[in-house]
Amino acid sequence: LHPITAKARGVTPPKSYTFQLLGLSAPLLASAAVASGWQPLPVAGSGVELAHAVLPFALWSIDVRLLRWLNPHVSWSEESVSLPANYAAEHGDSPVGAVLACVGVVAFEVYVQQLLAAPLTLGGCPVLGSASLIALTAGLLNHALANGLLNGLLCAEFYWTVSLMFGLSNSVLPVGIYHHLMYSMPTFVTRYQLAVDEAPSPAAHTLLLHATLAAWHCAAFAAVARLAPPAMPLLAPLDGPSVPAGAAAWAGLACVGLFGFAAASIASDYARGEEAA
């Protein structure tokens, strides 16, 4: 059971040490690749990139209202589709935790987009093709095996969306922001989960909801691509390894320390639990 789903159902999520360590392995690998000179950091630091960073906020606001409209069989408060209310409910007591969570998902998306998706596109695979492969592997198969079919269907659409979003800008910043916002919506998720659980066929209902989102996102991104140029060119892997040099490499090295410490803490917690048992 995914921790977000458990929380929405009012269930205390299990410790899930393996799930947490696997989740940390991706940003740790991405950070190490950037720090050691094997991969670039796909962040432009430009005005065009900041313009692309507005897209996740607009997409979140439209998506939650579309899902509310598609699920009239449950009641929805205005707070449930309000980004400030959801974000405060998730992070209001811990602004430092919110920043660290955002850094974590940005690094995770460096792994997914720069290490996995970008080589496919650079190798000649169309963006729709690479997005579909990422949706199938990182989304459907990975999450369905770990958390069940419903979560797999939801995450297939999510990874489809973030991969297409990356293709618009070639920057990981908008993608990381969108990923962070999707982890910051507890009030909405509680109503969404109720809507799915009360449907005659939760699996079919989830499939229809997220197929609708996937189609809408594809159309929206096609329109955005005609209006806004990419924030930066698609970056190829580097020739590393090399001694850390430059802001990107040092940022990667700092993230290696951050995620390495988090992984060590989880492993230590697990070892203490085993000893107590």
Side-chain angles (χ1 to χ4, degrees), residues 186-258:
T187 309
F188 172 83
V189 171
T190 298
R191 308 312 300 168
Y192 166 87
Q193 194 61 53
L194 180 64
V196 169
D197 291 342
E198 291 188 351
S201 172
H205 191 71
T206 300
L207 179 60
L208 288 172
L209 289 178
H210 290 280
T212 301
L213 285 184
W216 137 244
H217 291 164
C218 190
F221 292 167
V224 171
R226 292 179 175 274
L227 299 173
M232 59 194 299
L234 188 62
L235 301 178
L238 302 177
D239 296 329
S242 64
V243 176
W250 285 108
L253 193 60
C255 287
V256 168
L258 175 65

Side-chain angles (χ1 to χ4, degrees), residues 164-185:
L164 291 182
M165 186 180 291
F166 181 74
L168 287 175
S169 66
N170 297 324
S171 165
V172 78
L173 183 61
V175 180
I177 291 173
Y178 181 73
H179 198 153
H180 180 57
L181 294 180
M182 295 301 288
Y183 272 123
S184 308
M185 50 197 305

Side-chain angles (χ1 to χ4, degrees), residues 26 82 91 158 238 251:
S82 164
H91 302 294
F158 170 79
L238 302 177

Side-chain angles (χ1 to χ4, degrees), residues 26-28 30-31 102-112 172 176 255 259:
L28 185 58
S31 301
C102 189
V103 170
V105 292
V106 168
F108 183 89
E109 288 298 343
V110 172
Y111 171 79
V112 174
V172 78
C255 287
F259 301 130

Side-chain angles (χ1 to χ4, degrees), residues 47-72:
V48 175
E49 184 179 52
L50 291 178
H52 276 279
V54 174
L55 179 60
F57 296 95
L59 198 67
W60 190 98
S61 297
I62 295 170
D63 283 356
V64 295
R65 287 164 175 79
L66 175 59
L67 287 170
R68 178 176 66 175
W69 181 74
L70 291 171
N71 290 281

